[in-house]
Amino acid sequence: MELSGLGIHDLIKMRDKGEVSSGEILDSVYGRIDRVESKVAAYVTLTRDEALKMAAKADREIAAGRGKILSGIPIAIKDNICTKGIPTTCASKILHNFVPPYESTVTSRLIEAGYVLTGKTNLDEFAMGSSTENSGFHTTRNPWDTERIPGGSSGGSTAAVAADECIAALGSDTGGSIRQPASLCGVVGMKPTYGRVSRYGLVAFASSLDQIGPITKNVTDCALLLNVISGRDPLDSTSAPIDVPDFMADIGKDIKGLRIGVPREYFIEGMDPEVEEAVRAAVRKMESLGAVPVEVSLPHTDYAVATYYVLATSEASSNLARYDGVKYGFRAEGRDLMDMYMKSRAEGFGAEVKRRIMLGTYTLSSGYYDAYYKKAQQVRTLIKDDFEKVFRDADLVLTPTSPTPAFRMGEKSDDPLKMYLADIFTISVNLAGVPGISIPCGFTRDNLPIGLQLIGRHFDEATLLKAAYAYEQSTEWHKRKPAL
Ligand code: GLN
């Protein structure tokens, strides 16, 4: 296999034996980008020159005996994560020319670990969407079928990983934006516990839900990347002052006696029968590995999507108030200050972003605040309590990640409500603040990937990774590659 097709661990092994240089790895990844990017369109910005410099630096450090864990490993970053001196657009016209003067904490940690930045990946504008079709620039295509969407909003990152246009990537997940596209692209994606990873330098969408996480070709790589990016950060007051375990430590341990909760509310009408079949088969597989399935109930699941869209839009309307044509990015000509503000926002934001700003402004307005925002916060607590109760009887919860495999481009773009349902299985996890991971668990007859989601207790990513690894190693799904 070409180097670009390998995972982080395979490359680290070869690198540490001196079999491959950072320059060679980067050549292979960029060779792959040159061949397939015109079909996939995963990236907003390719940073080839920067990458060459970073790879050369990695090779110098390795030669001097100062190599680090990610020295020479090419990683793609979702374009809502700030990279100093490199455009960070959120796939929005309003930030098309924004070049951050500072580095996000996650990318600072990757730099310290020696990584090589391949480029910034496409997303739904400001991470609002489930298909990457809301990007203000272009739509990314699913490497398994380029007539279909890759999922979203981190569709650029998951498509880049699936197409071997990078070795791994970072995404962000507010209601499913790492896990849902990971599932639709056949890769591994994790949303860590809220507070596990610093949000400093992540452009805010809905601050109480947003979390950055790894997107990788296998579970071990996910654990390794999580090790690098996790931990308390004085620059983000919501990052938790909690010790970070070595997430690799439990990988490879057996899962005998692990209680896996299967919530009855997650096998709903309208779910694709092939998805249901694959996920049920995965439960049986886990059982054959010694896990114990238990039926559980998350009774407030029905309210999750509505609750999320009140809270996420409320927070978004407040967070996006800062884009006024003065402080960042795009500015329209105007007669006076007010006219300039209004035209900049009218021309700079796309339709979905405007829809959410309007919804959120409404739900926060005096007179409606109690009926919508406050009520949604109360339901959020009920949803969180559901999980806490379930975790008395189960160590993990297992669900499908997405009710359907990748849909066709355009299929849901003029029906926002249909699009909102794409995250029906992932949204509760953000509302509750618990960690979730999506891993490949099968393919449809049309050769489209299917993913399963494992959900864990707050700050118990280690158990998620242990179970995900045990399942992954007993199956072959993660080894398949799309024919591009
Ligand atoms: N699809 C959901 C939304 O549109 C979630 C997006 C996300 O996680 N960033 O808001």
Side-chain angles (χ1 to χ4, degrees), residues 173-177 179-180 191 266 399-402 422-431 453:
D173 190 313
T174 305
S177 276
R179 291 159 288 152
Q180 184 260 15
K191 183 203 86 77
Y266 279 61
T399 76
T401 308
S402 159
D423 283 320
I424 190 158
F425 298 146
T426 48
I427 268 175
S428 300
V429 172
N430 301 72
L431 290 168
Q453 173 176 238

Side-chain angles (χ1 to χ4, degrees), residues 127-130 153 173-177 205 308-309 356 423:
M128 298 175 184
S130 302
S153 66
D173 190 313
T174 305
S177 276
F205 159 15
Y308 170 87
Y309 277 97
R356 295 194 187 202
D423 283 320

Side-chain angles (χ1 to χ4, degrees), residues 171-180 182 188-197 208-215 222 226 229-230 308 380 426-438 453-461 464-465:
S172 69
D173 190 313
T174 305
S177 276
I178 290 175
R179 291 159 288 152
Q180 184 260 15
V188 174
M190 176 186 260
K191 183 203 86 77
T193 310
Y194 185 80
R196 178 60 97 186
V197 176
S208 77
L209 300 158
D210 299 340
Q211 193 66 189
I212 296 171
I215 296 164
C222 178
L226 191 63
I229 62 174
S230 293
Y308 170 87
R380 181 179 190 169
T426 48
I427 268 175
S428 300
V429 172
N430 301 72
L431 290 168
V434 290
I437 188 171
S438 179
Q453 173 176 238
L454 297 174
I455 306 168
R457 298 186 176 102
H458 287 107
F459 297 102
D460 191 15
E461 290 87 355
L464 283 188
L465 290 161

